[in-house]
Amino acid sequence: MAHEPSPEDLVRAARAAGVTDERLLEALRVTPRTEFVPAEHVASAYRDRPVPLPHDQVTTQPSLVAMMVCALGLTGGERVLEIGTGYGWQTALLARLTASVVSVERWPDLAEEARRRLAGQAVDNAEVAVGDGTLGLPARAPYDAVIVCAAFPEVPEPLIAQLRTGGRLVQPIGPGGFERVELYERRPHGLVRRATVTSACFVRLYGAHGYGQR
């Protein structure tokens, strides 16, 4: 009988990618990706692959999500800023792992869909705002961690300014299409690169401190 994909497949993919954080692996296990993808892609929700979204957007591959979240070194008490909400699956994972999540999505209909889906899973410590992700959300700053789900050759200055000293930031660095996912730490004098997490392909980061609006 053919294997029916399940959340455990995503856990195995994350482990194969080097993720060992048991809190994160458990979040992958209990956060239903089927509830955070378009209806026509539910059948492939537990395969380790991206899923198309409206506006030529795409979800991040689950094992890559796990690698990026793992790099933040979350311990449970953090306030996290997420740039790029999509349908909210990564937001839901972060909400399980931290005190609170603020997510900024540039497309109003995606933001509304994410809010609906997060509410459906009783996620009450995540806020989804519509706006220019490169500007962050200064009203909720400072943040202990920032995760950026789109590519630009440098980290937008407002995101650095909103990250507390000692906080971590993960972002794909490149032109959009083939990037290095980099981990940074905020120091008193600015951002310091700590490590390259992996190589991956991401959509471009648009905004005032990213690529011009299309």
Side-chain angles (χ1 to χ4, degrees):
M1 189 171 69
H3 170 68
E4 186 70 26
S6 74
E8 208 58 41
D9 290 279
L10 301 187
V11 174
R12 280 192 286 269
R15 286 191 190 278
V19 174
T20 58
D21 181 338
E22 290 298 333
R23 289 177 67 242
L24 173 53
L25 293 170
E26 180 62 17
L28 288 170
R29 188 175 283 118
V30 300
T31 306
R33 194 174 184 233
T34 48
E35 301 302 317
F36 294 96
V37 298
E40 62 270 26
H41 295 289
V42 165
S44 59
Y46 293 124
R47 299 186 188 281
D48 187 33
R49 61 180 63 161
V51 167
L53 295 176
H55 307 290
D56 296 321
Q57 302 298 292
V58 65
T59 68
T60 306
Q61 182 177 347
S63 61
L64 180 52
V65 168
M67 293 171 72
M68 293 174 69
V69 172
C70 188
L72 293 174
L74 302 171
T75 60
E78 296 88 355
R79 178 194 295 268
V80 178
L81 174 64
E82 176 188 46
I83 306 304
T85 317
Y87 273 14
W89 184 66
Q90 179 177 274
T91 317
L93 288 175
L94 291 167
R96 287 187 179 273
L97 297 168
T98 65
S100 63
V101 183
V102 176
S103 188
V104 182
E105 171 57 54
R106 66 186 291 243
W107 297 104
D109 56 329
L110 292 187
E112 185 55 39
E113 191 67 29
R115 289 188 195 108
R116 184 181 70 79
R117 290 168 183 261
L118 289 163
Q121 294 299 305
V123 176
D124 59 6
N125 61 332
E127 173 187 355
V128 179
V130 177
D132 178 347
T134 70
L135 299 177
L137 201 65
R140 301 288 187 271
Y143 302 99
D144 302 298
V146 177
I147 185 166
V148 184
C149 306
F152 192 63
E154 60 191 36
V155 178
E157 283 295 332
L159 303 186
I160 300 172
Q162 291 168 42
L163 182 62
R164 72 162 178 81
T165 301
R168 291 182 165 199
L169 181 148
V170 171
Q171 178 182 316
I173 299 296
F178 190 76
E179 282 67 54
R180 298 182 323 278
V181 179
E182 303 284 17
L183 169 65
Y184 298 90
E185 183 177 329
R186 174 77 190 272
R187 301 283 176 82
H189 60 278
L191 213 57
V192 174
R193 191 178 75 83
R194 289 277 306 274
T196 297
V197 177
T198 188
S199 297
C201 298
F202 280 83
V203 297
R204 285 183 161 191
L205 178 65
Y206 288 93
H209 294 265
Y211 288 101
Q213 299 291 343
R214 46 175 194 162

